[in-house]
Amino acid sequence: MEEERKETAVDVTHDDASSEEGEVTADSVMPSRSRLGFSFSAYKMPQRNPKAFTTWETLLLGYQSLGVVYGDLGTSPLYVFSSIKLEEPTERDLLGILSIIFWTLTLMGLLKYVLIVLQADDHGEGGTFALYTLLRQHLNFKSEMVMSLKSLDSDSNLKFHSRRSSITSKAQKFLEESTIAQKFITYIVLLGTCMVIGDGALTPAISVLSAVQGIQSRSPTITQTHVVWMSVAILLVLFLFQRFGTSKVSFLFSPIMILWFGFTAVIGVYNIVRYYPPVLKAISPHYMFYFFADQKTYGWSLLGAIALCITGAEAMFADLGHFSKGAIQLAFCTTVYPSLILSYAGEASYLIKNPGQLSTTFYSSVPEPLFWPMFVISTLAAVVASQALISASFSIIRQSTALGCFPRVTMIHTSKNHEGQVYSPEVNYFLMIACILITVGFKGGAEIGNAFGVAVIWVMLITTFLITVVMIVVWQANIALALLFFSVFTIIEGVYMTSLLNKLEEGGWVPFAISAIFIVITLTWTYGRSKKAQYEAKNMIDRKNFEELMTSTRRVPGVCFFCTDLMNGIPPIVRHYTELIGSVRNVTVFVTVRTLPVRSVLPDERFNIGKLGQSGVYRCLVQFGYMDVHSMEGNEFAESVIAAFREAAEDEDEKKMLDAALQDGIVFVLGRVILRMTEKQGRFRQFVINNFYRFLQKNFRSNVATLKIPPGKHLQVGMLYEI
């Protein structure tokens, strides 16, 4: 009991952040065994065949994807034409705009995303981070990178790890040897993910505003101020409802979007037949040249508004993990693409006869008997579009946290059946406040569209760059084809971007401001983690001193799981702990939680174990994928680890010792490390570590909470690292 009281005496408050889980620099790991006792060098995974979907399953998933994936892209007809500021547009102007919209949807939506980008998944996961982790599986990045994810030889045996080619190309060799190139790719990924989060704040604002503004065309007494505050009310309800999870309302999403696509397509056909039947001749690209010949540089400036027609295309790839490629491709080709073309063609037909209605195109083109039903459907569809980007923001932050490049936030799983459905209160309220400030601050003006377009096009440019690298490194495609892909889409997206950059002062700065907030947090967090890792690697206890320390320290009954970031070595805080406590448990396990750049790690691949010479002292590498839940809840974790050690035990005495220690109770020990940088490192770095990084430690969640360690079975030991 005396020893127990000594251990409890060093317990500290659990609100402050403690040492981060994740991997640090290590050149090797000791001979290890999986949970089943096999050597990883001989551990053979079953043949990894992709899941085959039946026709019925593909059709069902395609139907469901309409409500989750295509809300943003599908509702773009609400605001594209009305965002174009053109006085008295001529027939040739409108046909030119329609031609640009058609070829943008065809080249960027159909060709780029549906036929090419969707092929670059990480075992079913999509998005910017999935591209990055796919590259990390094929390239050995330097250990000092922003996201330190050093690979081990055993990683290639994991089920969800891609097979590396035995042929090393010149490009692959260059990327593995160039720290500058690796950092550039990493920073590009961080910018892309931060831009998507900015998209999560802008999509609800522009979608809901555009839907609500329709009421002005039928009620002249409704002012823009009324529209803004009605939109704010809807946005408040939308964000406050997030805590219940998308599963509560997701069953309504697909029927709503089916109604939306059906109504807009039918109304489009009606307007084509009634107002201008030959409108589809705008498919000919020469109408684009007419448009720019007539409008000259002003036509170029309007591209920022026209770019809104492709907003949401990135969701096809980002939400790939919830569906199959075939389902997303089927839904786009059979429903989304034809519906959008008919809707835009119908709006253009209406405007050719009613050019003065450009600012209220969508609702003005709706036949009078269908106005109120369409208003309700539009508002519901706008909510669906908003939900998709909000949920994507939650998932991105979750992946960032798992990969160790963002402080821990609360992550609540809102569905027992779908692992990817999560909710973060902190992220949700940040997006809510940002969205409302954008809506009220810009008063529902064109600035929101400018900001929205900037965010979307930047994400697309970054995706183009990363896909090109994937083509060269992973697919080992012909370099000429990869450069052709890069050139074509960089030119198209670059032209759009040059137009949008001209709008920086008119709202285009917003996504950069949001991205800057998240990038500063990310860089500060990863810099602090890297300094902590460097200190521990430099000051770790060598084997001789460790054996002397364990021999001279009194043993008490039970199992101690000592959590450390070092995969290969003992951190200095262990000596500090033994000096404070004066004893160690009969079984002491040094646990390192490691997040791999793969979507998931199977339970049988979870543990990588070894013995540290001394009797009763072990190492355990616990491996998770970036989509896995880090949990040590209940007794399952402890029992599983001890079971793995029993299977690897050398004799019956060792097995009895392990069983007895488990019966005597367990304790988890975590280090609460405070970094303090001296002035010799420079005042700026000193400020970053001593102020900002420490602020993040204190105000974000600790790994006690994120690892879900059993309550009452953990203690934290504080130590100051002077760097």
Side-chain angles (χ1 to χ4, degrees):
M1 291 301 294
E2 181 181 356
E3 289 81 1
E4 289 293 318
R5 284 194 295 271
K6 286 181 180 179
E7 287 185 345
T8 306
V10 299
D11 195 6
V12 297
T13 55
H14 298 165
D15 295 331
D16 293 340
S18 53
S19 69
E20 295 81 15
E21 73 269 22
E23 162 195 74
V24 298
T25 305
D27 296 327
S28 62
V29 70
M30 64 185 60
S32 53
R33 298 171 184 266
S34 73
R35 180 177 174 177
L36 297 179
F38 297 118
S39 168
F40 259 97
S41 61
Y43 192 71
K44 304 298 183 184
M45 297 305 304
Q47 183 65 35
R48 301 175 299 170
N49 296 318
K51 180 179 179 181
F53 292 92
T54 65
T55 302
W56 171 248
E57 288 175 328
T58 301
L59 290 172
L60 180 60
L61 287 172
Y63 164 74
Q64 292 174 340
S65 71
L66 292 174
V68 177
V69 177
Y70 293 112
D72 190 9
L73 179 63
T75 54
S76 59
L78 274 170
Y79 43 77
V80 172
F81 272 108
S82 59
S83 297
I84 299 171
K85 307 303 178 185
L86 191 61
E87 295 292 335
E88 295 297 324
T90 64
E91 175 183 323
R92 203 156 79 158
D93 289 334
L94 293 167
L95 290 174
I97 293 171
L98 179 61
S99 184
I100 296 172
I101 291 173
F102 171 80
W103 285 106
T104 299
L105 287 171
T106 301
L107 292 176
M108 295 171 66
L110 182 61
L111 178 60
K112 177 185 172 181
Y113 275 94
V114 172
L115 299 181
I116 299 176
V117 174
L118 285 179
Q119 309 304 320
D121 64 301
D122 179 16
H123 291 88
E125 290 297 324
T128 308
F129 258 126
L131 288 175
Y132 184 70
T133 56
L134 185 63
L135 288 173
R136 293 296 295 256
Q137 294 168 38
H138 290 264
L139 293 171
N140 290 320
F141 275 44
K142 304 295 183 181
S143 58
E144 65 269 17
M145 288 303 301
V146 174
M147 285 183 269
S148 181
L149 298 168
K150 186 171 178 62
S151 60
L152 301 176
D153 292 338
S154 59
D155 292 347
S156 60
N157 295 318
L158 300 174
K159 178 177 176 62
F160 293 106
H161 195 287
S162 299
R163 299 297 190 205
R164 293 187 62 171
S165 172
S166 57
I167 302 174
T168 302
S169 65
K170 292 182 179 179
Q172 183 174 343
K173 185 177 180 180
F174 166 75
L175 290 173
E176 289 188 335
E177 293 178 352
S178 174
T179 302
I180 295 176
Q182 293 174 10
K183 286 185 176 180
F184 179 76
I185 292 174
T186 303
Y187 289 131
I188 283 291
V189 168
L190 292 178
L191 177 61
T193 54
C194 291
M195 280 288 184
V196 173
I197 295 172
D199 202 357
L202 291 163
T203 297
I206 193 171
S207 298
V208 172
L209 267 170
S210 300
V212 175
Q213 279 175 337
I215 202 171
Q216 285 183 290
S217 63
R218 292 300 190 274
S219 303
T221 57
I222 301 293
T223 65
Q224 185 67 13
T225 302
H226 294 137
V227 169
V228 168
W229 289 109
M230 289 169 63
S231 300
V232 168
I234 294 174
L235 290 170
L236 277 172
V237 173
L238 172 65
F239 281 103
L240 292 176
F241 196 82
Q242 294 301 311
R243 65 189 182 93
F244 297 106
T246 56
S247 59
K248 299 292 189 299
V249 292
S250 60
F251 68 95
L252 292 174
F253 286 1
S254 295
I256 288 171
M257 293 311 298
I258 282 288
L259 287 173
W260 167 261
F261 286 121
F263 268 77
T264 53
V266 170
I267 292 172
V269 172
Y270 169 81
N271 286 330
I272 292 171
V273 173
R274 179 177 178 182
Y275 294 106
Y276 195 76
V279 70
L280 291 178
K281 67 183 181 181
I283 291 175
S284 174
H286 77 276
Y287 283 100
M288 290 190 288
F289 296 103
Y290 287 160
F291 174 74
F292 289 113
D294 294 341
Q295 297 298 329
K296 299 181 172 58
T297 56
Y298 187 70
W300 164 78
S301 70
L302 293 177
L303 286 176
I306 299 174
L308 297 177
C309 72
I310 198 64
T311 56
E314 69 279 8
M316 284 189 271
F317 188 47
D319 290 324
L320 181 59
H322 301 289
F323 305 97
S324 68
K325 281 182 281 190
I328 292 177
Q329 292 168 330
L330 178 68
F332 183 85
C333 295
T334 61
T335 304
V336 179
Y337 181 71
S339 174
L340 287 173
I341 298 301
L342 290 174
S343 179
Y344 283 119
E347 290 181 6
S349 298
Y350 176 83
L351 289 173
I352 288 173
K353 301 300 182 183
N354 303 276
Q357 303 291 326
L358 183 61
S359 62
T360 57
T361 300
F362 180 79
Y363 283 108
S364 296
S365 66
V366 174
E368 184 67 30
L370 295 178
F371 175 81
W372 288 110
M374 201 63 211
F375 176 77
V376 173
I377 294 173
S378 300
T379 304
L380 293 174
V383 171
V384 172
S386 305
Q387 181 62 60
L389 269 296
I390 294 170
S391 299
S393 298
F394 296 156
S395 297
I396 286 171
I397 293 295
R398 179 193 173 193
Q399 293 176 14
S400 303
T401 302
L403 292 173
C405 59
F406 197 82
R408 302 175 195 86
V409 296
T410 306
M411 280 294 168
I412 301 171
H413 294 266
T414 59
S415 173
K416 296 180 179 179
N417 300 320
H418 302 285
E419 179 61 33
Q421 293 187 6
V422 293
Y423 163 69
S424 172
E426 297 94 331
V427 177
N428 183 63
Y429 293 130
F430 173 85
L431 292 176
M432 181 181 74
I433 293 171
C435 188
I436 291 174
L437 287 176
I438 290 168
T439 303
V440 176
F442 290 132
K443 300 177 182 179
E447 293 86 353
I448 299 177
N450 295 334
F452 192 33
V454 168
V456 170
I457 294 299
W458 267 99
V459 171
M460 291 185 173
L461 276 167
I462 290 169
T463 300
T464 297
F465 169 75
L466 292 175
I467 287 292
T468 304
V469 179
V470 168
M471 284 180 168
I472 296 171
V473 174
V474 181
W475 297 348
Q476 296 193 333
N478 185 288
I479 190 73
L481 291 176
L483 291 177
L484 177 64
F485 169 85
F486 180 78
S487 301
V488 169
F489 289 104
T490 299
I491 290 172
I492 295 172
E493 293 156 1
V495 170
Y496 275 122
M497 179 49 62
T498 57
S499 175
L500 285 162
L501 287 178
N502 196 42
K503 308 288 186 181
L504 278 179
E505 295 182 359
E506 302 171 12
W509 56 270
V510 172
F512 289 106
I514 296 174
S515 297
I517 293 172
F518 283 91
I519 286 177
V520 168
I521 293 174
T522 296
L523 294 181
T524 301
W525 184 254
T526 52
Y527 179 67
R529 281 172 51 86
S530 67
K531 287 298 178 183
K532 172 181 174 291
Q534 290 171 16
Y535 181 93
E536 291 185 335
K538 182 179 179 181
N539 296 278
M540 65 182 179
I541 306 172
D542 60 35
R543 180 174 291 274
K544 180 181 178 182
N545 288 332
F546 175 69
E547 290 179 353
E548 291 177 356
L549 180 66
M550 298 303 291
T551 302
S552 61
T553 305
R554 189 165 38 136
R555 297 295 185 96
V556 296
V559 180
C560 172
F561 293 100
F562 202 111
C563 299
T564 171
D565 287 344
L566 287 177
M567 288 200 307
N568 189 26
I570 306 300
I573 200 170
V574 173
R575 178 183 284 111
H576 184 60
Y577 167 75
T578 56
E579 290 173 352
L580 286 172
I581 301 300
S583 64
V584 293
R585 298 293 179 109
N586 283 337
V587 174
T588 300
V589 183
F590 291 95
V591 177
T592 298
V593 178
R594 178 177 181 239
T595 301
L596 285 74
V598 298
R599 67 179 297 267
S600 183
V601 174
L602 298 181
D604 287 340
E605 303 167 342
R606 183 78 67 209
F607 302 128
N608 198 352
I609 65 171
K611 195 172 181 180
L612 282 178
Q614 289 282 334
S615 174
V617 183
Y618 302 89
R619 290 218 65 138
C620 179
L621 191 64
V622 186
Q623 304 181 130
F624 294 101
Y626 59 82
M627 294 298 290
D628 291 332
V629 179
H630 296 198
S631 177
M632 297 182 181
E633 266 183 313
N635 295 320
E636 182 181 356
F637 173 81
E639 292 172 354
S640 298
V641 174
I642 296 301
F645 289 135
R646 286 187 88 262
E647 293 176 6
E650 297 175 355
D651 51 45
E652 287 299 320
D653 290 338
E654 185 177 356
K655 293 181 180 179
K656 291 178 181 178
M657 177 194 66
L658 290 166
D659 292 337
L662 184 61
Q663 293 298 320
D664 289 331
I666 63 173
V667 64
F668 290 84
V669 178
L670 302 100
R672 177 181 178 269
V673 173
I674 300 296
L675 299 183
R676 185 169 70 190
M677 183 168 279
T678 58
E679 289 186 4
K680 65 180 181 180
Q681 300 292 336
R683 290 191 177 275
F684 178 72
R685 293 180 179 180
Q686 186 182 30
F687 172 81
V688 170
I689 292 296
N690 296 354
N691 294 277
F692 197 24
Y693 179 72
R694 193 172 298 178
F695 172 82
L696 296 177
Q697 277 190 309
K698 290 181 178 180
N699 290 278
F700 283 81
R701 302 190 81 202
S702 69
N703 62 350
V704 174
T706 53
L707 285 176
K708 299 183 180 179
I709 293 174
K713 293 184 178 181
H714 73 268
L715 59 87
Q716 294 178 314
V717 180
M719 187 172 179
L720 179 68
Y721 287 179
E722 287 197 358
I723 55 178

